[in-house]
Amino acid sequence: MEIIKVENMSFSYSKEEIFKDFNIVINKGEWITILGHNGSGKSTLTKVMIGLLKKETGIIKINGIELTEENVYDVRKNIGIVFQNPDNQFVGSTVKDDLAFGLENLCLAHDEIEMRIEKYLTKVNMLEYKDKEPHNLSGGEKQRVAIAAVLSMEPEIIILDEATSMLDPKGKEEVIEVIKNLSENNTVITITHNLSEAILSDRVIVLNKGKIVLDGKPLAVFKETEKILSAGLDLLPSMKIANKLAELNYQDEELKGILWELNSKM
Amino acid sequence: MNVIVGRYINRNSWVHRLDPRMKILSLIILMIGTFMTSTLINMLWILAGVFLLILTSKISLLNFIKSLVPLLFLMTFTFVFQVLFNKQGPIISTLTLNLSFITILLNVVVIIGYQILKRFRIRGFFWFLLTFAFIIYLYTLNLGTPFKIINLNLYRDGLTFGLFLLVRIIILVSASSLLTLTTKPADLNNGLERLMKPLKVLKVPVDEMSMMISIALRFIPTLLDEVNKIMKAQASRGVDFASGNIKKKVVQIVSLLVPMFVISFKRADDLSNAMEARGYFPGMERSKFGILKFRFSDYLTILFSISFLVGIVYFDL
């Protein structure tokens, strides 16, 4: 079942054309990774999808409802976005208040808000930080709060727009762990320029200059090394090694000898 | 980095537990009260009451004195002005100033000493005041042969009215300090929002204003962090923030302000995107998570405040 459908969408910043007749269909329950280098339009795509930026032409359907200027606020209830900078999306003065902000926007009652805060902070393992202020949290912790805040609004689709790019390795790991759990029950779209984050997802889309270059299962996509490189992306370390080895064209016995040598040096 | 936003000091006292709305209302009533009082005695009674509140709030008196320090100049100015120029009522005493060569010489010595001490970071208004008082004291001593004698008359009303104004300033400042010291900024904001709610009828954007205040409060530590980073970045490029004359200081400030503005606007842009993505738009109907509830002590406080105001009016007129 398709949950997001973009048809013939065009969009441009004042002069620069970003998308022209862009099409994409995303199915319910999928975990999709959108890959692309800086300026490939990957972040713009999400902003257009929830109406933060206004499309010029085309149709965007979220959960079967067409996005128009009138229903933009209703459509947004179906999508939650976690942005890149953990500091700039923390609205409340404490962790609890930050979650409450989104829930207040949904006009929920006090008890319901309390219950959801408890539930979703547990989900991201941040319950004991409930009363902490943002400047006492690490980047990874803040980002987990941001995910909890988005989750607590119970959207159908969760978009993570480079949510891990400003985190240290530990923070990254924490957040990816949370995303992995999410993807079991939700439609998740992660946006990144890092191929290693894409491996776990169900489907990978590579964007370049506002066009889909590759679309498919991660392993199938990763095989197209030339297209990935021409899209301005970096290959996986393991793929780099594989390519290099293929170039050197070792015979079996020869390779074994070299590996033995390296192993004894370690 | 651990920045304290606002001046809130966490203690467990009945003043802390009071509802912020009640505290704000009581403060307003107290302020009206001090402006309706017209005698020094009544004003001193109110001061005693405020002092009692401060004692029961379990917050060190030092914090209140600190909040009075920036107003030291204003307080002295008001007092001295009244004493010098208010010439009503009987004369209580006369200050005789003897201008002789020795006293003037000593005066110059004291001023030079003051200027030298100032270099050793002993400065501030308090020291100035002390030096000034000492100079006046020098002139009252009968040293050498005076070539001119000035008589300064001290009038009773000037003195009492000067004190009256002084006490009023002290009451106003320490009472407002009591409010900000015992209430978290977020609670204060919340209380203000509730109190201003009736203004919504007049199309005052109360919700938006309180949202703005709460975001501003939330971003103070983040922006301070940012200022630190920029200062370090600029220092590494050779900007010296520690010294320089006024012209250089302006350049320093500009080198700090420009990147600060650019970053703040970027942040504001991101934040507005994040807020909109989470379903917020200005003027929307929202529910309220933080519930404020009046308790028995709150009702008691407001009852006391109102009876205080009635008492003031009764005794004063």
PDB file of all heavy atoms in Angstrom, chain A residues 172-195:
ATOM      1  N   LYS A 172      25.748   8.390  17.403  1.00  0.00           N
ATOM      2  CA  LYS A 172      25.254   7.836  16.156  1.00  0.00           C
ATOM      3  C   LYS A 172      24.691   6.438  16.378  1.00  0.00           C
ATOM      4  O   LYS A 172      23.595   6.105  15.929  1.00  0.00           O
ATOM      5  CB  LYS A 172      26.427   7.757  15.170  1.00  0.00           C
ATOM      6  CG  LYS A 172      26.127   8.416  13.838  1.00  0.00           C
ATOM      7  CD  LYS A 172      27.367   8.460  12.978  1.00  0.00           C
ATOM      8  CE  LYS A 172      27.659   9.889  12.603  1.00  0.00           C
ATOM      9  NZ  LYS A 172      28.658  10.074  11.598  1.00  0.00           N
ATOM     10  N   GLU A 173      25.475   5.635  17.102  1.00  0.00           N
ATOM     11  CA  GLU A 173      25.080   4.262  17.370  1.00  0.00           C
ATOM     12  C   GLU A 173      23.757   4.205  18.127  1.00  0.00           C
ATOM     13  O   GLU A 173      22.860   3.445  17.776  1.00  0.00           O
ATOM     14  CB  GLU A 173      26.173   3.596  18.207  1.00  0.00           C
ATOM     15  CG  GLU A 173      26.482   2.167  17.804  1.00  0.00           C
ATOM     16  CD  GLU A 173      27.750   1.718  18.504  1.00  0.00           C
ATOM     17  OE1 GLU A 173      28.845   1.971  17.972  1.00  0.00           O
ATOM     18  OE2 GLU A 173      27.611   1.165  19.597  1.00  0.00           O
ATOM     19  N   GLU A 174      23.659   5.082  19.153  1.00  0.00           N
ATOM     20  CA  GLU A 174      22.434   5.139  19.964  1.00  0.00           C
ATOM     21  C   GLU A 174      21.225   5.424  19.083  1.00  0.00           C
ATOM     22  O   GLU A 174      20.190   4.764  19.173  1.00  0.00           O
ATOM     23  CB  GLU A 174      22.531   6.271  21.000  1.00  0.00           C
ATOM     24  CG  GLU A 174      23.477   6.030  22.144  1.00  0.00           C
ATOM     25  CD  GLU A 174      23.730   7.322  22.944  1.00  0.00           C
ATOM     26  OE1 GLU A 174      23.104   8.377  22.640  1.00  0.00           O
ATOM     27  OE2 GLU A 174      24.550   7.276  23.845  1.00  0.00           O
ATOM     28  N   VAL A 175      21.393   6.437  18.211  1.00  0.00           N
ATOM     29  CA  VAL A 175      20.261   6.870  17.403  1.00  0.00           C
ATOM     30  C   VAL A 175      19.899   5.805  16.376  1.00  0.00           C
ATOM     31  O   VAL A 175      18.718   5.500  16.148  1.00  0.00           O
ATOM     32  CB  VAL A 175      20.574   8.229  16.729  1.00  0.00           C
ATOM     33  CG1 VAL A 175      19.523   8.580  15.703  1.00  0.00           C
ATOM     34  CG2 VAL A 175      20.673   9.307  17.783  1.00  0.00           C
ATOM     35  N   ILE A 176      20.920   5.189  15.761  1.00  0.00           N
ATOM     36  CA  ILE A 176      20.640   4.164  14.745  1.00  0.00           C
ATOM     37  C   ILE A 176      19.914   2.976  15.375  1.00  0.00           C
ATOM     38  O   ILE A 176      18.997   2.399  14.780  1.00  0.00           O
ATOM     39  CB  ILE A 176      21.954   3.730  14.053  1.00  0.00           C
ATOM     40  CG1 ILE A 176      22.425   4.861  13.123  1.00  0.00           C
ATOM     41  CG2 ILE A 176      21.747   2.457  13.242  1.00  0.00           C
ATOM     42  CD1 ILE A 176      23.766   4.638  12.500  1.00  0.00           C
ATOM     43  N   GLU A 177      20.300   2.652  16.604  1.00  0.00           N
ATOM     44  CA  GLU A 177      19.621   1.575  17.339  1.00  0.00           C
ATOM     45  C   GLU A 177      18.126   1.882  17.469  1.00  0.00           C
ATOM     46  O   GLU A 177      17.271   1.016  17.237  1.00  0.00           O
ATOM     47  CB  GLU A 177      20.280   1.440  18.715  1.00  0.00           C
ATOM     48  CG  GLU A 177      20.011   0.158  19.450  1.00  0.00           C
ATOM     49  CD  GLU A 177      20.367  -1.076  18.636  1.00  0.00           C
ATOM     50  OE1 GLU A 177      21.437  -1.107  17.978  1.00  0.00           O
ATOM     51  OE2 GLU A 177      19.557  -2.013  18.646  1.00  0.00           O
ATOM     52  N   VAL A 178      17.843   3.152  17.829  1.00  0.00           N
ATOM     53  CA  VAL A 178      16.441   3.560  17.981  1.00  0.00           C
ATOM     54  C   VAL A 178      15.711   3.465  16.649  1.00  0.00           C
ATOM     55  O   VAL A 178      14.585   2.956  16.568  1.00  0.00           O
ATOM     56  CB  VAL A 178      16.357   4.999  18.546  1.00  0.00           C
ATOM     57  CG1 VAL A 178      14.936   5.509  18.513  1.00  0.00           C
ATOM     58  CG2 VAL A 178      16.896   5.045  19.959  1.00  0.00           C
ATOM     59  N   ILE A 179      16.373   3.921  15.574  1.00  0.00           N
ATOM     60  CA  ILE A 179      15.729   3.902  14.262  1.00  0.00           C
ATOM     61  C   ILE A 179      15.418   2.462  13.856  1.00  0.00           C
ATOM     62  O   ILE A 179      14.355   2.168  13.307  1.00  0.00           O
ATOM     63  CB  ILE A 179      16.644   4.554  13.192  1.00  0.00           C
ATOM     64  CG1 ILE A 179      16.932   6.005  13.554  1.00  0.00           C
ATOM     65  CG2 ILE A 179      15.981   4.498  11.820  1.00  0.00           C
ATOM     66  CD1 ILE A 179      17.976   6.658  12.661  1.00  0.00           C
ATOM     67  N   LYS A 180      16.344   1.561  14.153  1.00  0.00           N
ATOM     68  CA  LYS A 180      16.162   0.157  13.791  1.00  0.00           C
ATOM     69  C   LYS A 180      14.879  -0.397  14.422  1.00  0.00           C
ATOM     70  O   LYS A 180      14.086  -1.075  13.775  1.00  0.00           O
ATOM     71  CB  LYS A 180      17.376  -0.649  14.278  1.00  0.00           C
ATOM     72  CG  LYS A 180      17.914  -1.625  13.231  1.00  0.00           C
ATOM     73  CD  LYS A 180      18.870  -2.623  13.839  1.00  0.00           C
ATOM     74  CE  LYS A 180      20.253  -2.044  14.085  1.00  0.00           C
ATOM     75  NZ  LYS A 180      21.168  -3.011  14.704  1.00  0.00           N
ATOM     76  N   ASN A 181      14.694  -0.057  15.705  1.00  0.00           N
ATOM     77  CA  ASN A 181      13.481  -0.511  16.394  1.00  0.00           C
ATOM     78  C   ASN A 181      12.224   0.094  15.794  1.00  0.00           C
ATOM     79  O   ASN A 181      11.197  -0.566  15.680  1.00  0.00           O
ATOM     80  CB  ASN A 181      13.548  -0.155  17.883  1.00  0.00           C
ATOM     81  CG  ASN A 181      14.585  -0.981  18.601  1.00  0.00           C
ATOM     82  OD1 ASN A 181      14.873  -2.099  18.181  1.00  0.00           O
ATOM     83  ND2 ASN A 181      15.145  -0.432  19.652  1.00  0.00           N
ATOM     84  N   LEU A 182      12.334   1.369  15.397  1.00  0.00           N
ATOM     85  CA  LEU A 182      11.191   2.075  14.824  1.00  0.00           C
ATOM     86  C   LEU A 182      10.715   1.417  13.545  1.00  0.00           C
ATOM     87  O   LEU A 182       9.516   1.262  13.299  1.00  0.00           O
ATOM     88  CB  LEU A 182      11.582   3.503  14.446  1.00  0.00           C
ATOM     89  CG  LEU A 182      11.730   4.514  15.530  1.00  0.00           C
ATOM     90  CD1 LEU A 182      11.975   5.864  14.899  1.00  0.00           C
ATOM     91  CD2 LEU A 182      10.460   4.544  16.314  1.00  0.00           C
ATOM     92  N   SER A 183      11.711   1.021  12.747  1.00  0.00           N
ATOM     93  CA  SER A 183      11.386   0.591  11.391  1.00  0.00           C
ATOM     94  C   SER A 183      10.546  -0.680  11.381  1.00  0.00           C
ATOM     95  O   SER A 183       9.959  -1.027  10.367  1.00  0.00           O
ATOM     96  CB  SER A 183      12.670   0.363  10.602  1.00  0.00           C
ATOM     97  OG  SER A 183      13.395  -0.677  11.209  1.00  0.00           O
ATOM     98  N   GLU A 184      10.457  -1.350  12.530  1.00  0.00           N
ATOM     99  CA  GLU A 184       9.659  -2.569  12.572  1.00  0.00           C
ATOM    100  C   GLU A 184       8.172  -2.281  12.437  1.00  0.00           C
ATOM    101  O   GLU A 184       7.430  -3.073  11.878  1.00  0.00           O
ATOM    102  CB  GLU A 184       9.949  -3.327  13.872  1.00  0.00           C
ATOM    103  CG  GLU A 184      11.269  -4.088  13.794  1.00  0.00           C
ATOM    104  CD  GLU A 184      11.803  -4.463  15.160  1.00  0.00           C
ATOM    105  OE1 GLU A 184      11.013  -4.468  16.121  1.00  0.00           O
ATOM    106  OE2 GLU A 184      13.010  -4.734  15.259  1.00  0.00           O
ATOM    107  N   ASN A 185       7.729  -1.141  12.968  1.00  0.00           N
ATOM    108  CA  ASN A 185       6.288  -0.858  12.948  1.00  0.00           C
ATOM    109  C   ASN A 185       5.894   0.373  12.144  1.00  0.00           C
ATOM    110  O   ASN A 185       4.728   0.653  11.971  1.00  0.00           O
ATOM    111  CB  ASN A 185       5.770  -0.666  14.377  1.00  0.00           C
ATOM    112  CG  ASN A 185       6.140  -1.822  15.270  1.00  0.00           C
ATOM    113  OD1 ASN A 185       6.042  -2.968  14.849  1.00  0.00           O
ATOM    114  ND2 ASN A 185       6.595  -1.526  16.462  1.00  0.00           N
ATOM    115  N   ASN A 186       6.892   1.165  11.715  1.00  0.00           N
ATOM    116  CA  ASN A 186       6.542   2.430  11.071  1.00  0.00           C
ATOM    117  C   ASN A 186       7.147   2.528   9.674  1.00  0.00           C
ATOM    118  O   ASN A 186       8.068   1.787   9.341  1.00  0.00           O
ATOM    119  CB  ASN A 186       7.073   3.605  11.892  1.00  0.00           C
ATOM    120  CG  ASN A 186       6.454   3.671  13.268  1.00  0.00           C
ATOM    121  OD1 ASN A 186       5.291   3.987  13.413  1.00  0.00           O
ATOM    122  ND2 ASN A 186       7.240   3.332  14.262  1.00  0.00           N
ATOM    123  N   THR A 187       6.621   3.484   8.929  1.00  0.00           N
ATOM    124  CA  THR A 187       7.277   3.852   7.689  1.00  0.00           C
ATOM    125  C   THR A 187       8.374   4.839   8.055  1.00  0.00           C
ATOM    126  O   THR A 187       8.093   5.862   8.669  1.00  0.00           O
ATOM    127  CB  THR A 187       6.285   4.551   6.742  1.00  0.00           C
ATOM    128  OG1 THR A 187       5.123   3.749   6.669  1.00  0.00           O
ATOM    129  CG2 THR A 187       6.884   4.758   5.387  1.00  0.00           C
ATOM    130  N   VAL A 188       9.610   4.484   7.733  1.00  0.00           N
ATOM    131  CA  VAL A 188      10.721   5.350   8.119  1.00  0.00           C
ATOM    132  C   VAL A 188      11.477   5.789   6.871  1.00  0.00           C
ATOM    133  O   VAL A 188      11.760   4.985   5.984  1.00  0.00           O
ATOM    134  CB  VAL A 188      11.691   4.622   9.078  1.00  0.00           C
ATOM    135  CG1 VAL A 188      12.876   5.497   9.410  1.00  0.00           C
ATOM    136  CG2 VAL A 188      10.974   4.204  10.334  1.00  0.00           C
ATOM    137  N   ILE A 189      11.763   7.068   6.781  1.00  0.00           N
ATOM    138  CA  ILE A 189      12.591   7.576   5.695  1.00  0.00           C
ATOM    139  C   ILE A 189      13.828   8.200   6.329  1.00  0.00           C
ATOM    140  O   ILE A 189      13.709   9.140   7.119  1.00  0.00           O
ATOM    141  CB  ILE A 189      11.854   8.639   4.864  1.00  0.00           C
ATOM    142  CG1 ILE A 189      10.545   8.068   4.318  1.00  0.00           C
ATOM    143  CG2 ILE A 189      12.737   9.148   3.731  1.00  0.00           C
ATOM    144  CD1 ILE A 189       9.695   9.084   3.627  1.00  0.00           C
ATOM    145  N   THR A 190      14.994   7.664   6.046  1.00  0.00           N
ATOM    146  CA  THR A 190      16.209   8.306   6.543  1.00  0.00           C
ATOM    147  C   THR A 190      16.913   8.972   5.370  1.00  0.00           C
ATOM    148  O   THR A 190      16.982   8.427   4.281  1.00  0.00           O
ATOM    149  CB  THR A 190      17.171   7.310   7.205  1.00  0.00           C
ATOM    150  OG1 THR A 190      17.334   6.199   6.343  1.00  0.00           O
ATOM    151  CG2 THR A 190      16.650   6.825   8.525  1.00  0.00           C
ATOM    152  N   ILE A 191      17.426  10.150   5.645  1.00  0.00           N
ATOM    153  CA  ILE A 191      18.137  10.903   4.617  1.00  0.00           C
ATOM    154  C   ILE A 191      19.580  11.040   5.067  1.00  0.00           C
ATOM    155  O   ILE A 191      19.835  11.430   6.197  1.00  0.00           O
ATOM    156  CB  ILE A 191      17.498  12.288   4.441  1.00  0.00           C
ATOM    157  CG1 ILE A 191      16.087  12.097   3.876  1.00  0.00           C
ATOM    158  CG2 ILE A 191      18.327  13.157   3.524  1.00  0.00           C
ATOM    159  CD1 ILE A 191      15.278  13.333   3.890  1.00  0.00           C
ATOM    160  N   THR A 192      20.505  10.677   4.211  1.00  0.00           N
ATOM    161  CA  THR A 192      21.912  10.694   4.619  1.00  0.00           C
ATOM    162  C   THR A 192      22.814  10.766   3.391  1.00  0.00           C
ATOM    163  O   THR A 192      22.350  10.634   2.257  1.00  0.00           O
ATOM    164  CB  THR A 192      22.242   9.430   5.450  1.00  0.00           C
ATOM    165  OG1 THR A 192      23.627   9.398   5.695  1.00  0.00           O
ATOM    166  CG2 THR A 192      21.851   8.171   4.725  1.00  0.00           C
ATOM    167  N   HIS A 193      24.115  11.027   3.646  1.00  0.00           N
ATOM    168  CA  HIS A 193      25.046  10.868   2.541  1.00  0.00           C
ATOM    169  C   HIS A 193      26.049   9.771   2.870  1.00  0.00           C
ATOM    170  O   HIS A 193      27.054   9.614   2.222  1.00  0.00           O
ATOM    171  CB  HIS A 193      25.749  12.194   2.218  1.00  0.00           C
ATOM    172  CG  HIS A 193      26.397  12.829   3.397  1.00  0.00           C
ATOM    173  ND1 HIS A 193      25.903  13.946   3.994  1.00  0.00           N
ATOM    174  CD2 HIS A 193      27.473  12.483   4.101  1.00  0.00           C
ATOM    175  CE1 HIS A 193      26.652  14.277   5.017  1.00  0.00           C
ATOM    176  NE2 HIS A 193      27.615  13.392   5.117  1.00  0.00           N
ATOM    177  N   ASN A 194      25.729   9.039   3.935  1.00  0.00           N
ATOM    178  CA  ASN A 194      26.628   8.005   4.410  1.00  0.00           C
ATOM    179  C   ASN A 194      26.070   6.622   4.056  1.00  0.00           C
ATOM    180  O   ASN A 194      25.041   6.204   4.553  1.00  0.00           O
ATOM    181  CB  ASN A 194      26.762   8.155   5.921  1.00  0.00           C
ATOM    182  CG  ASN A 194      27.882   7.323   6.451  1.00  0.00           C
ATOM    183  OD1 ASN A 194      28.402   6.452   5.748  1.00  0.00           O
ATOM    184  ND2 ASN A 194      28.262   7.568   7.689  1.00  0.00           N
ATOM    185  N   LEU A 195      26.777   5.895   3.169  1.00  0.00           N
ATOM    186  CA  LEU A 195      26.257   4.623   2.678  1.00  0.00           C
ATOM    187  C   LEU A 195      26.096   3.580   3.778  1.00  0.00           C
ATOM    188  O   LEU A 195      25.190   2.753   3.729  1.00  0.00           O
ATOM    189  CB  LEU A 195      27.171   4.063   1.575  1.00  0.00           C
ATOM    190  CG  LEU A 195      26.686   4.308   0.154  1.00  0.00           C
ATOM    191  CD1 LEU A 195      26.736   5.777  -0.155  1.00  0.00           C
ATOM    192  CD2 LEU A 195      27.532   3.540  -0.839  1.00  0.00           C
TER     193      LEU A 195
END
